[in-house]
Amino acid sequence: MGPTAAQHPIVRVVACGSVDDGKSTLIGRLLAQTDSVPDDILDYARTTRRSGSTIPKGEVDYSMLTDGLEAEHEQGITIDVAYRHLYLPSGRRAIIADAPGHEQYTRNMAVAASTADVAVLLVDAARGIRAQTHRHLTVCALMGVRTVIVAINKMDAVDFRHVAYEELAGGVRAAAARFDLDEVTVIPVSALTGDNVIERTSTMPWYHGPSVLETLAAWQPSPVADDQVAPFRLPVQYIVRADNFRGYAGTVVAGSVRPGDKVSVNATGAPATVERIVTYDGDLEEAHAGTAVTLTLETETDVTRGDLLVAQPDASGERDFPRPASAFAADLVWTGTEELRHGRSYLLVAGSLAVPAVVTAIRNRRDVVSGEEMAARTLKMNDMGHVEIATDTAIPLDAYSLSRDTGGFLLVERVSRDTVAAGLTRHALRRAHNVVPHSFSVDRDARARLKGQKPRVLWLTGLPGAGKSTIADALERRLHGLGLHTYVLDGDGVRTGLNKDLGFTPEDRAENVRRVAETAKLMLDAGLIVVVSLVSPFRGDRRAAKALFADGDFVEVWVDTPADVVVERDPKGLYAKAKAGTLPNMTGVGQGYEPPEHPDLVVKGAGEVDDAVDLLIGALEVTH
Amino acid sequence: MAAVVATPEVVAPDAVLDALEAEAIHIYREVAGAFRRPVLLYSIGKDSSVLLHLAVKAFAPGRVPFPVLHIDTGWKFREMIEFRDRTAAQLGLDLIVHTNEEGRAEGVTPFTHGTHEYTRIMKTVALRQALDAGGYDAAIGGARRDEERSRAKERVFSLREPGHRWEPRKQRPEFWRTANTQLSEGQTMRVFPLSNWTELDVWRYIQRENIPVVPLYFSEPRPVVDRGGQLIMIDDDRYPLEDGEAPMTKDVRFRTLGCYPLTAAVESQATDLDALIAEMLVDRRSERSGRLIDGEGGGSMESKKTEGYF
C-alpha cells in the first residue's frame, strides 16, 4: 500500500504556465475564495493596479494577491518561486509553488516541481499549446510529478466553445502521453470570470468534469504496488548525545521502520538491529516516511552524519539495495550561470553527504520542447541532459524513480559554492562495482624506502613564460645530483602525447589538469619525486588535482612573475601571437589566470633560479 | 456565484501540524550538523516560542547545541523582557543579549529618528553587530512565508553575502529536502524552519503543545493612546503624550510583539487560546497590519531585508 491521506496532510502543488496565461489570477482566485488570504491583502488587491490592468478599481484584481518583489512589480512578471498556502475544504493544506513562466527561469520551475505532488499547468485557450507547455510538462515529468491538472484558461476569450476546448485538450493529452504520468485532468476555465475554478458553472454546460479546486482537494497519492514501495531510508543528519545515550537523528524519507528491524549503514557491512525510535514525546512503535526521529541501534555501530540507514534486503534478493558505487548515470538540470565543465571537480551533495565528483561523460542534452536527445559537449543554465558522474568515494544513491530524497543530489561549484545542478540518479554504473583495486604487496612505502626518499608532487603553476619549466629543469638537475629519483611532467611535453587530443578551452584545460594529476599520482605511488610544470590557470582545476592526494603529498607552488615580465620574455612567441589575435585562449590574454589564494609555496619567477631551487629543495625535506 | 466556504477548521489539524513539525526539526538538525557556529535569533514573540520548543524537540534527549541571541532595542515591552529571562532560566539556555550601544548613546529612538531609521540602527545594524561579534555562520529565525509578500519568495536556507546583504537574484535553488549549506568566504546563512507555517498553525501548535507565550497576546485592560487609528500601549513614561492627553484603558491584546511604540494593539475579549483562535477565524486581517514599521513604502520589507534585516 502507498501512503494514506493521513500520512499526506499537505499537498504540494507546482503552478506553471507561460507568461500572460493568467496563472496569477487563477492562484489568486483559489486563495481568495478559500479564505486563504487576509482581508487587508484583499483590500490591497481592490485598490492597487499594475499598469495595463483592465479590472475596475473596487473589484478584486486577483493577480495582485500573488504579487511579490518590487523588481517584479516594475516588470509586471514573476522572477522567482513564491510559496502560498491554500486551505483545502477537506481540511488538508496545499502549498502552491508559484513558478515563473519565462524560458530563462526553467530552473526555478524545476525547483518548484522537485517537491510537488501535483502540477497545475495553464494553457491560454486563445493562444493554444506553446513551447512552454511542452517545456513545463517535460520538467514536471522529469522531476517526478505524476499528477497534472491542465487548466485551459481564458475560455471566455473563445466564447466558451466546446470545440476549442476539445482541440486543445486533445493536443495536451497527446503531449502528456510521452511521459509516465498517473493522471492528467484537463479542465476548461476562466480565471478572470471564475468559471470552473472553485465550482462548476453553467457557462460550459458541455463540461461534466470537476473544477480545479475539486480536483486538488480530491488528490490522493496513487496506490503503489507492494513491490514498488521504496524500502526504509534514513539519511543521518546529526548524532544526538546525552548521558548513556547515542542516537542517530534524521527524517525517514522512504518506507517505514520498527524496533527490531535490521538496517545496514550505507548498504554495506553487517546489519544492525534498531533498538528504539526516540522522539521528545516518547518512543514510537513505528515511524513512516516524513517523520523526524532519532534511532538507537542494539549494537555499537560506527555511524556519522552523512551516512544512510537502509532496510536490509529480504531473502528475495538485493533489488533496490543501494550498494555504494563511485560511478552513476544521472539526469542533470543545470542551474549554474557558468556552464558544465567536463572533468572539473564539483561537490556532490546528497542528503547530508558531500563528496567531490566529476562529470566524466555527457551522453546527451534533451530538447525540452521536442523531447529529442541531442549530442552535447556541455550543459548551460536551464539545460537538461544525461551524464555520467564519478565520485571520489563510493556512496549509496537510489534511483530517483524509487525515492526523490535519496536519488536526487546537487552539484555545488567549489569556489562560489553555488548550486550549479540538480541531479536525478538513473542507476549506478556496473563497472564501478567491478573495479576493485587489487592490493599489491609491494607498496609505495616499500618503493620509497628502496629509493631512500620521500615521494612528493611539486605542482608549479603560473603564467606562460613565468619560468616554470626553467625552474623545474634546474630543480631536477639538483635532485638528480643528490641521487634522488625524479620525473618532470611538463605541460608542453604531455600535450604532444598523452593529451594531444585536448585543446585550450576551459573544459579541455580541466581534463588536461586531471590527466596530469592522475599521472603524477601513479608516479608518486611508484616512489618518485614528481615536478609538474603546468600553467593550470583555474583554481577549481588545481583544487580538484590536489584533492586526489593525501595531505602533504601535494605541494602547490605559485611561480609568481609579473605580467610585464612574462610578456617581455615571451620565450615561445605566444604573447605576440595572442596579441595578433591568432591564439584566442591564451592565458593572461584571452583567458584569465586565477592565482592560488593559499599556495603552499611562492617562488619569484623574476628572481634567481637558484634561489627558487633552494626554496623548493627545503620544502622536500631532502635528508641527503 | 457563491464561493465555497472552506473553513480553516480543519478535519485533521494534527496531521498538518505533525508534518510541519517534522519539517522544522529536519531543518534544525541540518543546521546543527552542517554549520560551524549557528545561533538562534530569539525575538520573544509567539514564533520564537515555537522555534525554541522545536529546537528542544529536535535534539532531545540531548541539549540544544547553539546559543540564543536577542537583539534588545531598549524599547521592548517590559513583559517581554521578564518573559525572556524567565524562559532562558527555565530551559537553561545560553542567552546572549545585544544592544547597539552607539545608537543608544546617540539617543536614537522611534520618536527622534523616524521608524525607518530607528529600525535600521537599533535592529538591523544591531543584528549585524551581534552576528559579526559572535562569528556566527548561520542564524535561525522565525520568519514565515505567509507574513508578508516579499517573504513568500524567501528560501528556507537564505544566503547572505558579505556584510549580511540579501540579494534576491543570488539565492540558491532549493530542491527536495536537500540543502546546499556550503559557504564561501564572508557568506552566512539565515535559516527559517517555520517557512511553511501560517499564523493559525503557530497558535494551534502553541495550544497543542502547551507552549508558554508572553501574556501580552491575551486581552487585558491596558493603557493605550490612539495614533491615526492604531492603538499604542503606554508601557512606560518615555512615550511622548500630547498636551493634556491621558491614556485610555481598553481591553486589548497584541497579534505580534515588537517595540512597544511601534506595535499596535487590537481590541479584543480573547483572554485564552480558545478565544484567541476563534477570534482569528473571524478577524481576517494579516498580523503585520499592526506593525508600524512595515508600512512605509510599497516594498519596505524587501528593502529592509536587502540591508540585512530578517
Side-chain angles (χ1 to χ4, degrees):
Chain A
M1 279 297 292
T4 64
Q7 287 166 27
H8 218 105
I10 298 176
V11 184
R12 295 261 188 174
V13 181
V14 49
C16 40
S18 205
V19 186
D20 299 330
D21 280 348
K23 178 160 58 84
S24 297
T25 305
L26 179 77
I27 296 174
R29 190 177 278 277
L30 282 168
L31 295 176
Q33 300 194 347
T34 54
D35 277 352
S36 302
V37 186
D39 289 348
D40 50 317
I41 307 292
L42 270 182
D43 283 341
Y44 168 80
R46 281 194 188 92
T47 55
T48 316
R49 289 291 176 269
R50 282 198 191 96
S51 60
S53 172
T54 55
I55 297 159
K57 283 213 176 185
E59 282 180 36
V60 175
D61 178 348
Y62 289 104
S63 73
M64 295 306 291
L65 296 175
T66 57
D67 198 32
L69 304 176
E70 272 185 347
E72 300 176 325
H73 219 210
E74 286 156 13
Q75 298 172 37
I77 54 155
T78 319
I79 57 174
D80 213 342
V81 185
Y83 296 87
R84 315 195 184 273
H85 306 89
L86 179 70
Y87 293 110
L88 290 171
S90 62
R92 285 156 99 197
R93 183 76 48 85
I95 296 177
I96 302 180
D98 185 0
H102 284 266
E103 180 184 342
Q104 64 266 39
Y105 301 120
T106 296
R107 62 177 191 155
N108 288 343
M109 253 296 308
V111 168
S114 75
T115 51
D117 305 300
V118 181
V120 174
L121 173 63
L122 276 95
V123 173
D124 183 328
R127 290 202 281 185
I129 296 165
R130 295 193 289 166
Q132 281 294 72
T133 313
H134 293 285
R135 184 187 309 276
H136 290 156
L137 269 174
T138 306
V139 175
C140 287
L142 182 77
M143 299 308 291
V145 182
R146 307 293 296 271
T147 303
V148 179
I149 302 172
V150 182
I152 308 286
N153 192 25
K154 305 194 183 177
M155 285 301 293
D156 51 310
V158 294
D159 302 326
F160 301 105
R161 279 181 299 122
H162 188 189
V163 59
Y165 162 78
E166 282 297 341
E167 193 181 314
L168 289 171
V172 170
R173 285 186 197 284
R178 283 196 280 141
F179 305 106
D180 180 25
L181 300 171
D182 292 338
E183 207 181 326
V184 179
T185 309
V186 189
I187 308 174
V189 308
S190 168
L192 193 68
T193 60
D195 293 288
N196 293 341
V197 175
I198 306 294
E199 292 182 319
R200 271 163 285 179
T201 60
S202 54
T203 50
M204 291 170 271
W206 42 264
Y207 176 74
H208 303 290
S211 72
V212 175
L213 182 68
E214 285 166 347
T215 315
L216 274 182
W219 179 82
Q220 293 290 348
S222 50
V224 179
D226 275 344
D227 65 343
Q228 296 295 311
V229 178
F232 168 69
R233 299 283 190 268
L234 182 142
V236 175
Q237 296 180 280
Y238 188 81
I239 312 298
V240 175
R241 291 186 187 86
D243 291 340
N244 297 317
F245 184 90
R246 181 182 165 86
Y248 309 113
T251 302
V252 180
V253 297
S256 60
V257 65
R258 300 174 66 91
D261 283 358
K262 298 269 189 225
V263 297
S264 89
V265 183
N266 296 328
T268 180
T273 305
V274 175
E275 182 189 41
R276 295 170 57 199
I277 305 171
V278 180
T279 76
Y280 173 86
D281 298 303
D283 285 11
L284 301 181
E285 279 302 301
E286 182 168 19
H288 296 279
T291 319
V293 295
T294 301
L295 299 187
T296 65
L297 301 177
E298 279 182 6
T299 42
E300 204 166 298
T301 313
D302 184 24
V303 180
T304 58
R305 171 176 160 82
D307 284 341
L308 182 68
L309 300 182
V310 181
Q312 187 67 10
D314 57 24
S316 65
E318 285 209 358
R319 199 186 56 86
D320 298 334
F321 194 57
R323 283 244 177 254
S326 52
F328 299 90
D331 293 296
L332 292 185
V333 179
W334 199 256
T335 60
T337 47
E338 265 189 60
E339 62 189 38
L340 165 63
R341 293 224 183 133
H342 186 262
R344 166 167 284 196
S345 175
Y346 296 97
L347 272 184
L348 184 152
V349 174
S352 303
L353 180 77
V355 295
V358 168
V359 174
T360 51
I362 301 172
R363 289 266 163 259
N364 60 55
R365 183 174 72 80
R366 187 192 309 225
D367 182 308
V368 289
V369 177
S370 69
E372 258 178 75
E373 293 177 344
M374 295 170 304
R377 291 194 55 137
T378 184
L379 295 175
K380 295 192 176 67
M381 194 197 279
N382 297 314
D383 281 350
M384 291 178 184
H386 174 199
V387 302
E388 289 180 7
I389 288 188
T391 53
D392 266 22
T393 47
I395 56 169
L397 285 179
D398 280 309
Y400 186 77
S401 56
L402 188 79
S403 158
R404 285 178 176 182
D405 284 286
T406 51
F409 59 85
L410 308 176
L411 291 185
V412 174
E413 210 279 325
R414 298 184 73 167
V415 177
S416 68
R417 305 283 161 156
D418 287 339
T419 302
V420 293
L424 297 75
T425 310
R426 290 189 178 195
H427 52 80
L429 293 169
R430 280 289 139 211
R431 62 171 185 268
H433 296 297
N434 297 337
V435 181
V436 178
H438 186 86
S439 68
F440 291 92
S441 3
V442 176
D443 62 5
R444 168 181 153 181
D445 285 347
R447 295 180 199 110
R449 269 198 308 278
L450 195 64
K451 293 183 175 67
Q453 64 186 34
K454 223 177 203 174
R456 278 282 187 290
V457 173
L458 286 180
W459 188 284
L460 275 52
T461 170
L463 288 167
K468 297 179 299 297
S469 298
T470 309
I471 293 170
D473 181 44
L475 175 64
E476 188 175 35
R477 272 188 284 133
R478 185 91 71 87
L479 292 169
H480 192 77
L482 292 169
L484 297 172
H485 299 255
T486 58
Y487 195 84
V488 173
L489 278 168
D490 184 72
D492 287 341
V494 293
R495 280 188 178 277
T496 60
L498 177 65
N499 292 353
K500 70 179 171 192
D501 57 324
L502 299 176
F504 293 88
T505 62
E507 298 78 36
D508 280 1
R509 283 187 189 275
E511 178 61 11
N512 186 43
V513 168
R514 189 188 71 81
R515 288 187 202 169
V516 171
E518 289 285 3
T519 308
K521 193 179 174 187
L522 290 174
M523 291 181 164
L524 184 84
D525 198 47
L528 298 179
I529 294 170
V530 190
V531 184
V532 176
S533 164
L534 199 65
V535 176
S536 44
F538 302 123
R539 273 182 210 127
D541 296 340
R542 294 194 301 266
R543 194 180 315 213
K546 185 169 189 164
L548 290 174
F549 296 90
D551 279 351
D553 280 353
F554 181 99
V555 182
E556 187 180 26
V557 182
W558 181 21
V559 181
D560 179 13
T561 312
D564 51 328
V565 175
V566 299
V567 174
E568 173 69 20
R569 279 184 187 165
D570 203 8
K572 296 169 198 161
L574 296 175
Y575 287 98
K577 277 193 204 168
K579 234 175 146 185
T582 55
L583 261 188
N585 289 326
M586 173 76 181
T587 300
V589 183
Q591 285 179 357
Y593 175 78
E594 300 170 359
E597 284 175 323
H598 307 290
D600 299 303
L601 289 172
V602 180
V603 299
K604 295 291 173 198
E608 290 297 322
V609 173
D610 278 348
D611 291 347
V613 171
D614 287 345
L615 186 76
L616 297 176
I617 295 269
L620 285 171
E621 302 161 51
V622 175
T623 49
H624 283 242
Chain B
M1 186 193 78
V4 173
V5 181
T7 78
E9 205 59 58
V10 292
V11 177
D14 270 349
V16 173
L17 292 180
D18 286 344
L20 293 171
E21 178 190 76
E23 181 185 61
I25 288 176
H26 182 86
I27 294 162
Y28 259 126
R29 290 166 169 179
E30 201 55 27
V31 173
F35 292 96
R36 199 172 31 82
R37 250 180 104 62
V39 67
L40 174 59
L41 265 254
Y42 178 64
S43 68
I44 322 178
K46 63 186 190 305
D47 305 292
S48 283
S49 290
V50 168
L51 264 190
L52 262 186
H53 183 76
L54 288 165
V56 170
K57 279 195 154 186
F59 302 105
R63 286 173 54 88
V64 176
F66 35 74
V68 171
L69 172 67
H70 177 230
I71 301 301
D72 193 348
T73 57
W75 289 91
K76 300 294 170 191
F77 290 91
R78 284 172 298 164
E79 279 184 78
M80 288 173 71
I81 303 299
E82 287 161 23
F83 181 86
R84 176 194 74 191
D85 295 340
R86 199 163 59 238
T87 304
Q90 273 168 6
L91 297 178
L93 301 175
D94 176 7
L95 174 71
I96 300 160
V97 177
H98 177 81
T99 301
N100 181 352
E101 292 300 344
E102 290 160 34
R104 178 140 71 183
E106 283 169 23
V108 177
T109 72
F111 315 110
T112 53
H113 286 68
T115 55
H116 185 269
E117 190 60 4
Y118 161 78
T119 302
R120 191 184 66 79
I121 296 171
M122 297 309 287
K123 293 178 84 170
T124 308
V125 174
L127 175 63
R128 294 202 308 235
Q129 289 170 343
L131 293 177
D132 289 340
Y136 303 113
D137 54 349
I140 302 149
R144 306 189 320 267
R145 285 168 172 159
D146 82 324
E147 270 178 78
E148 202 271 345
R149 55 202 176 94
S150 79
R151 294 269 199 226
K153 310 212 162 182
E154 185 56 282
R155 301 295 196 275
V156 175
F157 286 81
S158 178
L159 192 66
R160 293 297 185 274
E161 296 302 315
H164 307 284
R165 277 172 305 113
W166 177 69
E167 290 192 15
R169 283 170 192 271
K170 286 195 77 173
Q171 295 304 312
R172 293 169 176 172
E174 290 190 327
F175 291 92
W176 316 292
R177 289 187 182 91
T178 306
N180 172 3
T181 52
Q182 305 281 330
L183 299 176
S184 72
E185 194 71 27
Q187 290 181 331
T188 55
M189 199 70 89
R190 304 269 173 103
V191 188
F192 305 112
L194 305 183
S195 287
N196 288 324
W197 296 51
T198 65
E199 187 188 6
L200 192 56
D201 294 326
V202 167
W203 281 117
R204 286 217 167 100
Y205 189 71
I206 285 169
Q207 185 175 44
R208 179 178 100 169
E209 304 279 311
N210 207 9
I211 301 170
V213 291
V214 183
L216 290 162
Y217 285 112
F218 302 106
S219 178
E220 231 180 72
R222 293 187 170 100
V224 294
V225 294
D226 189 317
R227 285 289 178 272
Q230 307 264 27
L231 294 176
I232 305 297
M233 177 178 159
I234 305 305
D235 197 43
D236 58 36
D237 55 13
R238 293 180 294 170
Y239 195 92
L241 297 174
E242 284 157 21
D243 275 350
E245 189 183 33
M248 326 167 255
T249 300
K250 282 184 183 286
D251 291 340
V252 294
R253 65 179 182 87
F254 295 86
R255 283 182 69 182
T256 67
L257 294 178
C259 299
Y260 86 79
L262 301 177
T263 310
V266 291
E267 290 197 68
S268 163
Q269 297 303 322
T271 55
D272 60 25
L273 275 169
D274 286 333
L276 188 151
I277 290 171
E279 234 180 57
M280 273 196 66
L281 296 175
V282 178
D283 177 5
R284 308 230 0 105
R285 278 173 300 159
S286 71
E287 61 188 306
R288 293 196 89 87
S289 62
R291 286 258 184 145
L292 275 57
I293 61 167
D294 294 337
E296 295 187 344
S300 90
M301 173 67 91
E302 189 179 339
S303 59
K304 284 208 303 288
K305 276 179 61 178
T306 309
E307 292 167 1
Y309 183 72
F310 246 66

